[in-house]
Structures are given as structure tokens and as C-alpha cells.
Amino acid sequence: MPPDQPPSQEQQEAQQPLTSPSAFETDAEASLPRALQARLYTSHFLSTWNARLFEFGAVLFLADIYPSTLLPMSVYALARAAAAVLLAQAVGSSVDRGHRLAVVRVSILAQRLAVAVSCVVLWAMGRYGQRRLAGSGVDGGLFVVAVLLACVEKLAAMMNLVAVERDWVVAMTEENPYARRILNARMRRIDLICKLVGPLAISSIAIASTDVAIYVTFGMSLASVVVEYVCIEQVYHLSPSLQRPRPPPLHDVTASPGLLTVLAHRILPIHSLPFYFRHSAFLPSFSLALLYLTVLSFSGQMITFLLATGYNTALVGVARTISTVLELSATWVAPRLTKRVGAVRCGIWCLSWQMAWLTVGLAWYFADFFATGSPRIGAATGLAVAVALSRVGLWGYDLSAQLIVQDEVEESHRGTFSTVEAAFQNIGEMLSYTSTIIFSRPDQFQWPVLLSVAATYTAGGLYAAFVRERRGHLVHPPAWLQLKPRSHGAT
């Protein structure tokens, strides 16, 4: 018999009993002062709320300005995503090389200023649209300015998100992994609440008056900037670990004699892509990015499909609310499951849950589709129920992958790694929009659905390869299934 080996960290976590949520979250309370947490959550809420409000509000404002065409809205959305892809390296370099507090301050000011000026431009476009002159280029010029400001807002929001979630949270909780899980879950909870309530609030105002909705967006952006700015500064000063100097990046070209060489390394992904692909956290991160190639998310594409099959706006609102509640449940389930079985196993369990429910929804959809020849409300309902339940697995995996990335990516490259991941996420979103541009009719929605399920299964396969490499096996059999070798001395 080989000598007994000490249990691994994952085995130790698996042997811990499940605790109540309140007892579990005391780990975070004991590690981080309440004042620090309150200011961190306030800053994150204001950043996420304003981003969600403007992201959805801009679509409504453009729809009101250009009621007869979807082209301006499509160009606007694709330009924002393209900016995030093309300038991801520059954002990541700023996060890695810049002073922590200065980077977040710049992101806050840039985001708020871009939103405020965008509101002025969109208001002017709406007013000018009522007396548009044939052949005038003023309207087109204002639209170009609005697109450029949207790109600035997108990049600033990405910088803030990467800096706070992938760097600040890790630095603040380096001595307590349990506190990190709680912070991740609570911040993701804030994201999901803002994702539901923000669009609902601005759309309710826009129903009454688009101008009033623009005024509200403008006012909230300016009113929150001071609070957000002060809160994040206090978080920095309350956490000594954030004030510790960071090690320089491994690939630093600041000493290179040529200015063009320096700029190329700051803007182009010369080192970031090879670093990303070779990193031990690549597969969990890339698997998460693949999940953004989907139309099954109660966003504009799926909502349009549901309306085309017979849903009314009230039913769509109910379905979206139920989906968000289920998504929020993942922010309570995933941290407890991670504490019980570890982040790696939690990730494969959550991805398996997501794939299983999407398979059920796909089977239901095609069973009805082949029986009738066209998508009906029964097929849409089955698909919607399965998608809502699958979102629990999606956000559970999101938290697991984030923990793996936070734990394994070097401090000097957190920004670079995370912005490359964000770039692939935006590429996934662009491909999902492209799929519904090519297959735009409701009776063609099965093809974007198949593409989305295929992307999810590809993500599951890649992550399964990571789990097998990391743990040596995919399935951990229970003790009663593990066969013990028979002793040769027995009679």
C-alpha cells in the first residue's frame, strides 16, 4: 500500500459541510471592513447602472430618431463592439501599467462625460430630425459624433470593469479566497439587477417622452459621477494592498528606442494574444467568451422572435423577469457550491446544467417546428423555459471561471488577459448579431439557435479538456463505486 497522501485543497473543500448563506458570508465580513465593502458596492452599482441605462436608452433614442430603419441602430451597436475588440490591448496595457486609482478615476470621468455629451447630441438629433433638410450633412455628422462617443463609453466601461473586478477585488482579498467569492457574487448580483431594472426604468420613461428619458439619463450620469469618484477613492485608501506597487509586466518595451515600436506594443496584441493562448487559465476564459455567441439570452434577438410567434410585450416582460430571478439565484448557489467542491468542479457542473437545459429546449423547439412547419407559441414557450433555466448554469460558470482567472493570472498581466477575454466576448456578440442579420425571418430562427447551442457545447468540450488536464478525470465517482484491490494473501 502506498503511504497516505495529504488531501488536496479541493478535497479539503469537498469535505466541508454546507453552511447557511449568512454563516458563509461572515468570511467576507471578517476580512474586509463594512465601510470598504459599502463604498465598493456603491461605486460598482453606479457604474453598472449608468452603463445599462445608457446602453438600452441609446437604442430607444435612435429608434425614435430613425423610426423607419434599423441601419443606424445596427451601425451604432456594431461600432461599439468593434471598438472594444480593436482597442482591447490599449485598455489592458493601461490597467496593467497605470496607477490603480488613476486608471479607475479616468474610466469614471470618461464614461460619465461620454454619456452626458451623447445625451446632448442625441437630443439635438431628435430636435433636428423634426425639421431635417434634404441633402443636409448635419444629421449625419451628429450621428458620427454619437457613434464615437459610444465607443469611448464602451472602452471606459471596459476599463472600469476589468480594473475593479479582475485587479482590485483580487488585491483586496489576497489573504481570503472566501471573501473573494462573496465579493464576486455580490458584484455579479448588482450587474444582473441593473440589467433588469435599468432598461425597464428608462423604457418606462421613454414611453411617456423620449426627451424626458434623455434628460434623466443626462442628469443621472452627472449626478452620480461625484459619488462614484469619491467612493472609489475611499476604497483605495481603506485597502493597503491596493496601494502596494505592482511588479512590471514581463514584456515591457518602454526602453525601446522607437516611438512607433512602443505604440505598436501598446495598441496591437503583439504579446497579449500569445500570452493569452499559452496561459493556464486560457481554456476557462475562452470557454466563457464562447458563451457570448448566443441568441438565447432574452435580449433583443430572442425577444423579437417571441413577439413574432405570438407573445405580447407583457408576457415577454414576465419571461424576462423570471429569467433574471433565476440568474440571480446563481449568485447564491455558485459560491456555496464552489466552497463545497472547488471552482474547477463547480464550473463543469454549471456548464453541464446549461448544456442539458439547452438540449431540452432545442428538442422541444424542433419537435414542434417539424410537426407544424413553422415556429409557434408552443415551440417558443418550451425554448423560453429551457433558456431561463439554463441561465442558472451560465452565471454559475461565469463566477467559477472568474475565480480561476483571478487566482491564476499574474498580477502584472491581469488587465491584458482580461481585456483579451473581453475582446473575444465582443466578437461572440458580433457573430450572434451577424447570424440574425443573415437569418432574419422568424421561420429561420432555428439556425441562430443551432449556432448558439453549438457554441455552448464547444465551450463545454474545451472546459472538459481543462478539467481532465487539471484533475486527471472528469467524473469523480462516489466512494461506494471505487473498487478496492483484492489482497493476494486472502484465502
Side-chain angles (χ1 to χ4, degrees):
M1 293 289 293
D4 292 336
Q5 299 292 330
S8 65
Q9 181 180 359
E10 184 172 302
Q11 291 172 332
Q12 292 176 0
E13 289 180 336
Q15 294 170 358
Q16 295 177 357
L18 288 173
T19 56
S20 65
S22 58
F24 177 52
E25 297 190 1
T26 56
D27 293 317
E29 307 295 345
S31 174
L32 298 173
R34 288 181 178 270
L36 184 151
Q37 292 187 61
R39 286 161 176 79
L40 176 65
Y41 298 145
T42 300
S43 174
H44 185 66
F45 168 76
L46 291 174
S47 176
T48 307
W49 174 264
N50 282 289
R52 293 291 187 183
L53 201 72
F54 175 72
E55 181 181 21
F56 193 80
V59 173
L60 298 178
F61 306 153
L62 287 173
D64 183 70
I65 296 169
Y66 301 101
S68 59
T69 175
L70 295 177
L71 180 60
M73 191 187 311
S74 301
V75 171
Y76 186 89
L78 288 175
R80 291 180 80 245
V85 173
L86 296 176
L87 297 177
Q89 170 65 29
V91 173
S93 296
S94 300
V95 173
D96 287 335
R97 291 175 171 83
H99 186 273
R100 278 190 168 116
L101 181 57
V103 166
V104 179
R105 279 174 167 173
V106 168
S107 72
I108 292 172
L109 293 176
Q111 197 177 4
R112 298 294 154 263
L113 183 62
V115 171
V117 179
S118 291
C119 289
V120 174
V121 172
L122 291 168
W123 174 84
M125 290 172 64
R127 287 300 179 92
Y128 179 77
Q130 297 175 3
R131 48 187 179 83
R132 186 174 291 124
L133 299 177
S136 173
V138 176
D139 187 51
L142 289 175
F143 178 72
V144 171
V145 173
V147 170
L148 292 176
L149 290 169
C151 294
V152 172
E153 190 275 336
K154 177 74 171 181
L155 293 171
M158 180 196 296
M159 180 183 292
N160 186 286
L161 188 70
V162 168
V164 174
E165 289 193 358
R166 294 293 177 88
D167 183 37
W168 284 44
V169 168
V170 180
M172 289 187 296
T173 59
E174 58 186 355
E175 302 296 334
N176 191 337
Y178 298 134
R180 183 177 305 166
R181 295 169 192 170
I182 293 300
L183 286 184
N184 285 338
R186 289 176 176 173
M187 293 175 75
R188 186 64 72 243
R189 209 170 294 154
I190 291 171
D191 294 342
L192 293 172
I193 291 173
C194 292
K195 175 184 174 182
L196 173 66
V197 181
L200 183 64
I202 197 64
S203 60
S204 299
I205 299 172
I207 290 174
S209 171
T210 300
D211 282 350
V212 173
I214 293 176
Y215 300 153
V216 169
T217 305
F218 176 85
M220 293 193 70
S221 182
L222 291 184
S224 64
V225 64
V226 175
V227 179
E228 189 178 351
Y229 194 91
V230 171
C231 283
I232 206 67
E233 181 177 9
Q234 292 177 345
V235 169
Y236 178 82
H237 291 300
L238 286 171
S239 178
S241 58
L242 290 175
Q243 303 169 41
R244 185 188 63 219
R246 289 181 294 184
L250 297 177
H251 303 292
D252 196 345
V253 296
T254 54
S256 300
L259 177 62
L260 291 179
T261 303
V262 176
L263 291 176
H265 282 75
R266 292 291 187 270
I267 298 175
L268 301 177
I270 296 174
H271 291 303
S272 61
L273 282 179
F275 172 77
Y276 181 76
F277 289 132
R278 295 170 185 165
H279 201 278
S280 61
F282 161 67
L283 288 178
S285 171
F286 190 70
S287 298
L288 179 61
L290 278 175
L291 299 180
Y292 281 75
L293 203 174
T294 184
V295 297
L296 304 175
S297 61
F298 287 96
S299 60
Q301 296 146 305
M302 186 170 174
I303 288 174
T304 302
F305 167 74
L306 293 176
L307 292 172
T309 56
Y311 273 65
N312 56 38
T313 54
L315 287 176
V316 168
V318 170
R320 193 163 186 246
T321 302
I322 293 173
S323 175
T324 304
V325 171
L326 289 171
E327 292 173 20
L328 284 170
S329 70
T331 65
W332 278 280
V333 173
R336 297 186 68 205
L337 186 59
T338 300
K339 186 177 182 182
R340 183 72 174 88
V341 301
V344 174
R345 290 172 67 189
C346 178
I348 196 66
W349 287 16
C350 291
L351 263 180
S352 299
W353 174 277
Q354 183 182 8
M355 290 187 292
W357 279 110
L358 288 182
T359 302
V360 171
L362 189 67
W364 187 307
Y365 178 86
F366 274 101
D368 187 88
F369 182 83
F370 287 134
T372 62
S374 63
R376 298 189 309 176
I377 195 167
T381 301
L383 185 64
V385 170
V387 167
L389 290 168
S390 74
R391 305 292 285 178
V392 179
L394 168 67
W395 291 109
Y397 177 73
D398 176 273
L399 289 170
S400 299
Q402 181 166 314
L403 271 176
I404 295 171
V405 170
Q406 288 174 331
D407 290 342
E408 299 194 7
V409 176
E410 298 79 1
E411 183 178 4
S412 59
H413 285 78
R414 288 171 186 159
T416 297
F417 186 94
S418 297
T419 50
V420 173
E421 178 188 306
F424 280 113
Q425 291 174 358
N426 281 279
I427 290 174
E429 290 183 349
M430 293 170 68
L431 290 175
S432 73
Y433 287 126
T434 304
S435 71
T436 51
I437 290 174
I438 296 173
F439 304 105
S440 57
R441 299 199 312 269
D443 61 349
Q444 296 176 323
F445 193 65
Q446 68 270 19
W447 304 118
V449 168
L450 282 173
L451 178 63
S452 303
V453 175
T456 303
Y457 268 87
T458 302
L462 291 175
Y463 188 73
F466 168 78
V467 174
R468 184 172 180 82
E469 178 185 357
R470 183 63 58 93
R471 303 184 69 241
H473 57 273
L474 285 177
V475 180
H476 188 74
W480 60 272
L481 282 179
Q482 297 178 4
L483 300 178
K484 296 182 179 179
R486 181 179 296 178
S487 175
H488 293 290
T491 58

